[in-house]
Amino acid sequence: MTIKMADSVKNISALLTGLAKRNYYNESEYTDDFLKSQIFPDVAEEEYASLLKRCSSYMKSIVSADMDFNQLEAFLTSQMKRREAAMSEEEASAYRKFWKIHKNKIHDTLVSKTNWNNTLKKVSWRIDVKSQAKNTENMNEPTAIVELQIENPQESQKADVVQFEMDENRLAHVLQNMKDIEDQIVQYCQQ
């Protein structure tokens, strides 16, 4: 590649940032031609196309695996040890720098794009004791008052509030369902 090593980290970082802005942050002005003209104006078309394909492929692997920094290091090390088209230490440094800056923002962007249903934003609760009832058996019986704040990702300014009351039996049933969900998640994570 005809890129100077001193400029390599800076240029690869700039290309990765441009690709992230286009692919994950919906900034469509970052076209391939724009990135080439701004970052690699003196690089031949074929060389730039090869670099672009390589950077896009590596970025897609890193993002789709939502790599932590240990996984990233293992991935970059494996790319540097390849026999053909091995990644240089300077390129690896650019990927480390890029991922350190953009990991959380890309993750949050992808999560928000895949979350099309309502989301639970807040849960509030309290326990009340009935002091008046039609019959005396229901007096002094504790009930849970639950308030859920639910938000639609497409309408983030508007949140719905749902309130309901549960007696001891209903609360026990809900808690058992939550325990079942937790058990399923733990079982899935151990596979």
Side-chain angles (χ1 to χ4, degrees):
M1 193 155 283
T2 59
I3 304 166
K4 295 179 203 156
M5 283 302 158
D7 294 333
S8 181
V9 173
K10 185 174 87 173
N11 289 347
I12 298 292
S13 292
L15 179 60
L16 292 171
T17 299
L19 290 171
K21 286 181 177 187
R22 180 180 69 201
N23 296 339
Y24 302 107
Y25 308 149
N26 295 323
E27 297 181 29
S28 58
E29 63 270 16
Y30 289 89
T31 63
D32 292 346
D33 292 336
F34 175 79
L35 293 172
K36 181 182 185 316
S37 71
Q38 297 298 308
I39 304 167
F40 299 105
D42 300 329
V43 174
E45 277 300 322
E46 305 91 43
E47 199 173 355
Y48 175 70
S50 173
L51 177 65
L52 185 66
K53 182 178 178 185
R54 185 172 154 157
C55 287
S56 295
S57 175
Y58 289 154
M59 183 187 294
K60 187 175 181 181
S61 296
I62 293 166
V63 169
S64 64
D66 193 24
M67 292 183 186
D68 63 28
F69 294 104
N70 291 332
Q71 292 170 320
L72 176 67
E73 199 56 45
F75 174 75
L76 295 175
T77 300
S78 72
Q79 297 307 315
M80 289 188 288
K81 290 183 177 179
R82 291 176 60 183
R83 290 181 190 257
E84 292 182 27
M87 180 185 287
S88 70
E89 180 57 44
E90 290 81 12
E91 286 178 278
S93 177
Y95 281 93
R96 284 184 204 101
K97 179 181 173 187
F98 164 79
W99 197 233
K100 183 178 181 182
I101 294 168
H102 292 274
K103 179 185 185 330
N104 291 332
K105 188 173 179 185
I106 289 174
H107 174 80
D108 293 345
T109 300
L110 291 175
V111 167
S112 72
K113 285 180 180 179
T114 59
N115 192 6
W116 56 88
N117 286 331
N118 292 336
T119 58
L120 181 62
K121 288 295 178 190
K122 183 179 174 187
V123 176
S124 302
W125 61 273
R126 72 175 193 262
I127 303 296
D128 284 354
V129 177
K130 290 184 181 179
S131 60
Q132 292 182 347
K134 289 182 181 177
N135 48 27
T136 55
E137 297 99 40
N138 292 341
M139 283 191 55
N140 297 327
E141 186 176 303
T143 59
I145 310 294
V146 180
E147 181 176 286
L148 307 175
Q149 189 176 24
I150 301 169
E151 187 175 273
N152 185 322
Q154 285 77 31
E155 305 168 12
S156 60
Q157 297 86 0
K158 182 182 168 230
D160 293 327
V161 176
V162 177
Q163 293 178 332
F164 56 93
E165 186 175 321
M166 293 187 288
D167 64 9
E168 185 177 2
N169 293 334
R170 189 70 189 143
L171 180 60
H173 180 70
V174 168
L175 291 174
Q176 182 58 49
N177 286 342
M178 292 297 201
K179 175 74 172 117
D180 294 344
I181 292 169
E182 180 185 23
D183 292 345
Q184 287 290 317
I185 290 171
V186 168
Q187 182 182 6
Y188 178 77
C189 290
Q190 291 176 348
Q191 292 179 352

